[in-house]
Amino acid sequence: MPNESSLTTPSQFEINNYCTEIFLKTDKISTKISTTVCYSIGNTTANFNYFNTHALNLFNPSLQHLVVDKSISPEWAFHILDSQHNRPTLPTIKSVEKLYRGVSEYESKANYCFQYLKQLDTVLILDYKKKRGIWWSGSITGIPEHEKIFPLRHIMQAIFHPIGGTILHGAVVGKCGKGAFLVGKSGVGKSTTSIACLTSGMDFIGDDQILHYEDSAYSISQFAKLNRKSHKLLPKLRIAELNCGETKEGKLILSLFPFFKSQLASSLKIVTILIPTLTENNLPSLSPCSPTDTLKAIAPSSFSQVFNNHQEEMSRMAKLARAIPAYKLNITQNLSAVVNLIDEIINK
Amino acid sequence: MNYQIEPKAIVHETIDSEVVIVNFANGNYYSLIGVSAFIWEILLTGPKTDEEIHSALLRTYRVDDGTAKRDISIFLTSLITEGLIKKLELKENNLPTIHLEAVGKKSYHAPVIEIHSDMREVIVLDPVHEIDYADHKDPTN
């Protein structure tokens, strides 16, 4: 264990020892695994070993659409634990804090990734060589609402960040394997537009956060959030059947699984970036958007999803903005016309 | 006086000759185009004095000495105000005023910083990185 009196950055030797000790401790309690569920995570698969039904009931609903057959040998395995319902002996906060210096300092060294997210009171440890990890929470019932809707994002980020992936703020819809990435600040119409596309038969990756890796968007959660006012524009949407709560801001939380099961895709290749803007026009329209304006639409709101080196993430967003054709999408209340236009641009 | 980019709370990217900067401390994001982007790129190479920036501007743009000095001062002050650069004390050098002919140089406009504050609440919402040693719980309790 690190020397308590030292505040210098711990050595790789200390980190390796610490993580090895944690894995040994959790391996000893493996017999207490309650349920194992195999999910598609990005372009890989992972077993989540839930040590109690509280964690399972909290996180599995968001991830139901990503469940894959247990007969598939998953690449990764994660223990999901919390101190309210399990008692693995994890080190005290002081030791954890002294080890924590940010993933960017560690991920380039040897095997391990170590993250302590203070605001969420969670610890994540990854062993990249053995492809295993531990996600531990100090207070699972204290997990903020957005973490329940988009659970375990930092597992995805920790797996994919070292190999070029990143969590981005935006919605992705599409068809035939190709998708449009809708970006921009809250309130511009991403969720309404993406749900309109879903109800019109398009595939849906997410309306708020996605994992971007290589040239594809991967789903993180099957939940969507919808402004109450937008509901009137989507008469086909059976709110009563889909609604499973409200956010603090008063948005409806919609559970799209299993009603839209066949359309909840795990991935789509991004072929276009769209920046919605509300207009009073009768018909929607598109106008080309510069990579700079595209970056300004993607970056600011995506950083709050990022647990890693922000400069690296900025560069990745810029790369995406340069590589993919982008358009300002002037949207109207005529959502059918908006959907048709998105369909056209995806197939262009 | 030396000026240096403040790396701790900002990220930046130059794309199509425009610099986009995000400041996590105040939640603003910025655009720098043309002369302002040029000055930023100079600062990216390391701490620079007013005189060094001034010389580079005169070499590259059709601008008179006095205008360049005034505009640089205003621009650097605005970058400092936004927390994007910091001042470092340096011994004063009495460098001579430079007069360069405007041959093959770009047309000049005063450097400005375009500030966007519509994403403040989201940008400053940072889930990780700053640890408050005074406020923590022992997870084993």
Side-chain angles (χ1 to χ4, degrees):
Chain A
M1 293 297 291
N3 183 351
E4 287 278 349
S5 64
S6 169
L7 286 177
T8 58
T9 305
S11 66
Q12 189 57 50
F13 180 74
E14 284 175 317
I15 295 165
N16 286 353
N17 276 353
Y18 173 85
C19 292
T20 303
E21 186 181 333
I22 298 302
F23 278 114
L24 279 173
K25 281 178 178 166
T26 46
D27 283 347
K28 281 180 186 170
I29 60 168
S30 291
T31 51
K32 295 183 182 176
I33 291 172
S34 166
T35 312
T36 294
V37 183
C38 188
Y39 299 108
S40 169
I41 304 289
N43 68 344
T44 187
T45 50
N47 268 350
F48 281 7
N49 301 317
Y50 293 101
F51 276 67
N52 60 74
T53 53
H54 299 274
L56 173 72
N57 293 338
L58 198 62
F59 298 136
N60 189 60
S62 288
L63 305 171
Q64 289 176 90
H65 63 311
L66 299 176
V67 173
V68 295
D69 198 282
K70 281 184 185 177
S71 62
I72 296 171
S73 298
E75 201 176 341
W76 286 82
F78 288 91
H79 290 336
I80 311 295
L81 310 108
D82 69 280
S83 72
Q84 285 176 295
H85 306 101
N86 305 104
R87 296 205 63 84
T89 311
L90 284 187
T92 61
I93 277 291
K94 276 190 180 171
S95 305
V96 167
E97 284 180 347
K98 283 175 184 174
L99 276 179
Y100 174 75
R101 287 297 181 274
V103 172
S104 59
E105 289 192 39
Y106 293 157
E107 64 193 36
S108 60
K109 298 178 186 174
N111 306 332
Y112 295 106
C113 158
F114 179 91
Q115 288 183 1
Y116 167 54
L117 302 181
K118 178 177 182 281
Q119 288 187 14
L120 304 177
D121 197 18
T122 60
V123 171
L124 174 65
I125 301 171
L126 253 77
D127 179 344
Y128 288 103
K129 258 195 181 175
K130 294 188 179 176
K131 295 202 184 308
R132 58 178 180 170
I134 296 161
W135 181 95
W136 170 92
S137 168
S139 170
I140 200 168
T141 52
I143 294 281
E145 167 197 271
H146 62 274
E147 288 296 325
K148 294 174 192 170
I149 299 172
F150 305 103
L152 309 169
R153 286 169 299 147
H154 50 293
I155 287 181
M156 294 187 188
Q157 192 149 50
I159 293 174
F160 286 95
H161 176 79
I163 51 176
T166 193
I167 306 285
L168 296 176
H169 177 228
V172 176
V173 291
K175 56 198 286 186
C176 303
K178 295 189 283 186
F181 182 28
L182 286 79
V183 299
K185 57 186 178 181
S186 293
V188 296
K190 298 188 300 297
S191 291
T192 306
T193 305
S194 59
I195 293 172
C197 290
L198 173 70
T199 57
S200 298
M202 279 195 189
D203 292 336
F204 181 92
I205 293 288
D207 75 317
D208 197 348
Q209 294 177 32
I210 56 107
L211 168 70
H212 177 251
Y213 174 59
E214 292 187 330
D215 57 359
S216 293
Y218 293 89
S219 183
I220 294 175
S221 169
Q222 60 93 0
F223 285 122
K225 291 180 284 180
L226 188 69
N227 204 306
R228 280 188 182 278
K229 290 179 196 172
S230 301
H231 172 212
K232 296 171 195 171
L233 301 174
L234 298 162
K236 288 185 193 173
L237 196 64
R238 288 148 74 159
I239 290 287
E241 290 179 36
L242 302 174
N243 185 17
C244 60
E246 250 185 54
T247 67
K248 279 189 294 190
E249 297 83 23
K251 284 188 176 179
L252 299 171
I253 300 172
L254 305 178
S255 175
L256 303 176
F257 184 94
F259 196 81
F260 290 104
K261 183 179 174 183
S262 61
Q263 291 168 251
L264 295 177
S266 61
S267 69
L268 286 171
K269 181 180 173 180
I270 297 177
V271 298
T272 188
I273 298 173
L274 302 175
I275 304 167
T277 309
L278 292 167
T279 66
E280 298 292 328
N281 299 339
N282 288 332
L283 290 175
S285 60
L286 290 169
S287 52
C289 187
S290 69
T292 317
D293 285 343
T294 306
L295 179 61
K296 284 190 268 187
I298 297 173
S301 57
S302 287
F303 281 117
S304 64
Q305 326 303 333
V306 170
F307 304 99
N308 298 87
N309 182 314
H310 284 179
Q311 185 59 60
E312 175 67 40
E313 300 291 338
M314 179 75 155
S315 298
R316 291 177 185 182
M317 293 177 210
K319 188 179 170 187
L320 176 67
R322 287 187 186 99
I324 305 290
Y327 303 88
K328 283 189 182 156
L329 171 64
N330 298 308
I331 58 175
T332 70
Q333 296 207 348
N334 184 348
L335 285 175
S336 318
V338 175
V339 170
N340 289 339
L341 191 56
I342 294 174
D343 195 327
E344 268 178 48
I345 195 73
I346 287 173
N347 289 315
K348 191 178 174 184
Chain B
M1 202 69 68
N2 237 355
Y3 298 91
Q4 183 178 9
I5 288 176
E6 177 62 84
K8 286 180 192 167
I10 69 164
V11 292
H12 55 88
E13 187 74 27
T14 303
I15 187 166
D16 288 350
S17 305
E18 181 174 344
V19 181
V20 177
I21 307 167
V22 179
N23 186 341
F24 297 103
N26 63 14
N28 290 340
Y29 61 104
Y30 311 87
S31 269
L32 303 177
I33 303 172
V35 177
S36 52
F38 175 80
I39 295 173
W40 184 263
E41 293 293 323
I42 293 172
L43 289 168
L44 277 178
T45 62
K48 292 288 178 292
T49 60
D50 310 67
E51 289 79 15
E52 284 170 317
I53 297 170
H54 176 249
S55 297
L57 220 61
L58 291 179
R59 276 196 301 273
T60 311
Y61 291 94
R62 286 192 296 276
V63 58
D64 64 85
D65 188 54
T67 303
K69 274 186 184 164
R70 180 200 66 211
D71 289 350
I72 287 168
S73 175
I74 295 169
F75 181 62
L76 292 176
T77 301
S78 61
L79 290 180
I80 292 168
T81 304
E82 292 298 321
L84 304 180
I85 66 171
K86 56 185 178 184
K87 260 196 270 192
L88 303 170
E89 291 296 332
L90 192 69
K91 276 187 183 177
E92 291 289 339
N93 279 329
N94 291 322
L95 294 176
T97 303
I98 299 167
H99 299 284
L100 296 171
E101 287 183 30
V103 176
K105 294 180 186 174
K106 299 178 190 176
S107 61
Y108 176 82
H109 62 84
V112 290
I113 176 170
E114 195 179 298
I115 303 172
H116 305 272
S117 55
D118 54 323
M119 300 290 287
R120 254 191 204 154
E121 283 181 7
V122 178
I123 291 173
V124 297
L125 176 68
D126 188 355
V128 72
H129 296 102
E130 296 304 319
I131 294 171
D132 179 1
Y133 283 88
D135 177 24
H136 60 258
K137 301 177 287 210
D138 187 330
T140 60
N141 286 335

